[in-house]
Amino acid sequence: MPAEKREIDTPAFLVDLDAFERNLHKMQDFLNEHGVHLRPHFKCHRVPEIATCQMEAGAIGITVAKLAEAELLVKEGIRNVLIANEIRGEQKIKRLVTLARGAEDLMVAVDDERGALEIAHAAKAFDAEVGILVDVDVGMGRCGTTPEEAVRLAKIAKGQAGLVFRGLMGYEGHVQKPPPSEEKENACRSAMKALIDAKEAIEAEGLEVGIVSAGGTRSYYITGCYPGITEIQAGSYCLMDLASKEGGGDFELASTILTTVISRPAPDRAVTDAGMKSIHPACGMPKVKDRDGIEATGLHAEHGILKLDPAVKLAPGDPLEMIVPYLDGTVNIHEKLYCLRGDAVVGTWNVSGRYCST
Ligand SMILES: Cc1ncc(COP(=O)(O)O)c(C=O)c1O
């Protein structure tokens, strides 16, 4: 392992551990103050060691998007896992109920009757119990049932052997992107109102709704204060990226990609060794850390294109750090993360979950 940042071969994913730790505690402290749990999303880093840090800081479990991520976490000893996504297909449901037998508390999102019944059928056959959160579409337009239909699904889940109805989830993904504003706050509150209305309608039928799960890095400060929300699923807050910062995630940018300038073909142009295979372009261009007059203008497969102000001094071989624009996609194309304290490399984390997409 290299001892110093300058010895790391590039492109490489760097984590500023001091900033990471401050982010970890800032989110947990905020939610503790508001009496809300944190069940952080794994998809944004896919590193079991980070999930362990989040649990040690006070998280009650981990949220995942994929069954394979849940399998990895249970194997790594994290046995309280919410799959905040719909799981369908015979093979997957068999994997799900098998996993439920080895986990302490495994929950999965459900948004239709047939999905619930298929899981119940397999759970009975495998003598397993699977926790169910009914997934409500609170305006994002992805998965999720209507708030009205949630009542019927909750009753179905409650009445099936093999299923344990635990509550609701409703991810307000459509309000994440806009920067903080009154409009964003109102949109977020109206999404949470739909979720809490569904909770109250289910309770009116005599069912207990123990969990109401929602929230992301760019909405936690609104969703986490909304009465009735019991937990937040934010994930990007610990490593952070530009998209999360722009959307109001008030955390430190703890992740960068270390690159090397490989060419200076024109006075106003430099080229680095980090293109799309090192920096995911879904949320736009990276920013150059701690350097003025350099703008990232393009990401080719293997090359990063930079536009330079005339005064900028930059030579082939020079290192540059690029702030990650989209963490979720970027971490998934790296094998490991280098953990730094200042310029000292103090460890590495394998992105063990990077192929966990089934
Ligand atoms: C269902 C769900 N919950 C929570 C999150 C966490 O979002 P973030 O990484 O912005 O905190 C996501 C991210 O896409 C998500 O899809």
Side-chain angles (χ1 to χ4, degrees), residues 297-320:
T297 54
L299 290 171
H300 296 199
E302 330 285 354
H303 302 86
I305 312 298
L306 304 176
K307 187 169 181 302
L308 311 181
D309 285 353
V312 169
K313 293 202 179 349
L314 200 61
D318 284 353
L320 280 178

Side-chain angles (χ1 to χ4, degrees), residues 41 43-44 63 84 140 142 169 171 176 215-218 233-237 244 328:
H41 216 307
K43 77 205 266 298
C44 328
T63 300
M140 185 187 184
R142 194 167 65 183
M169 69 157 269
Y171 177 55
Q176 299 293 320
T217 299
R218 295 169 280 181
Q233 302 178 353
S236 300
Y237 69 96
S244 300
D328 200 320

Side-chain angles (χ1 to χ4, degrees), residues 253-326:
L253 292 159
S255 46
T256 51
I257 304 299
L258 184 65
T259 67
T260 302
V261 175
I262 57 167
S263 176
R264 279 295 321 269
D268 64 347
R269 187 162 82 244
V271 180
T272 73
D273 61 356
M276 278 190 279
K277 289 181 188 171
S278 305
I279 300 173
H280 199 290
C283 295
M285 290 298 116
K287 283 205 170 109
V288 185
K289 186 179 174 188
D290 297 337
R291 290 287 305 252
D292 294 328
I294 311 178
E295 185 195 352
T297 54
L299 290 171
H300 296 199
E302 330 285 354
H303 302 86
I305 312 298
L306 304 176
K307 187 169 181 302
L308 311 181
D309 285 353
V312 169
K313 293 202 179 349
L314 200 61
D318 284 353
L320 280 178
E321 269 182 72
M322 314 300 288
I323 303 172
V324 172
Y326 174 47

Side-chain angles (χ1 to χ4, degrees), residues 15-193:
V15 177
D16 174 344
L17 274 188
D18 294 330
F20 163 82
E21 285 164 4
R22 286 191 291 269
N23 289 342
L24 205 65
H25 294 293
K26 180 174 177 177
M27 176 66 90
Q28 189 65 58
D29 290 350
F30 177 88
L31 295 177
N32 288 349
E33 269 167 39
H34 290 83
V36 177
H37 294 301
L38 177 60
R39 197 185 298 271
H41 216 307
F42 184 65
K43 77 205 266 298
C44 328
H45 55 75
R46 290 189 150 185
V47 175
E49 286 91 336
I50 294 183
T52 301
C53 292
Q54 291 171 315
M55 294 291 287
E56 285 170 0
I60 56 162
I62 301 292
T63 300
V64 299
K66 294 290 186 164
L67 182 53
E69 293 173 315
E71 289 168 334
L72 172 70
L73 287 173
V74 171
K75 198 171 104 217
E76 295 287 335
I78 294 177
R79 296 170 67 227
N80 290 9
V81 183
L82 162 63
I83 305 172
N85 204 356
E86 281 65 15
I87 299 292
R88 296 303 284 263
E90 206 176 313
Q91 278 181 346
K92 280 218 174 55
I93 291 180
K94 199 170 154 190
R95 277 169 56 199
L96 176 73
V97 297
T98 307
L99 184 66
R101 285 173 58 118
E104 190 179 305
D105 187 4
L106 182 74
M107 295 186 285
V108 65
V110 157
D111 69 356
D112 84 323
E113 176 175 353
R114 193 155 158 221
L117 295 180
E118 282 173 1
I119 297 170
H121 181 72
K124 276 181 265 176
F126 279 74
D127 196 21
E129 270 194 340
V130 181
I132 299 295
L133 291 193
V134 172
D135 186 5
V136 180
D137 180 3
V138 294
M140 185 187 184
R142 194 167 65 183
C143 299
T145 186
T146 60
E148 299 74 35
E149 175 70 0
V151 181
R152 200 176 73 82
L153 277 181
K155 284 189 192 164
I156 289 168
K158 178 78 183 165
Q160 287 292 320
L163 304 186
V164 183
F165 172 67
R166 302 286 302 279
L168 299 176
M169 69 157 269
Y171 177 55
E172 70 285 24
H174 58 301
V175 307
Q176 299 293 320
K177 196 171 174 191
S181 68
E182 206 180 314
E183 200 183 339
K184 174 174 175 138
E185 290 191 17
N186 290 339
C188 188
R189 287 198 192 101
S190 97
M192 291 306 107
K193 182 177 182 310

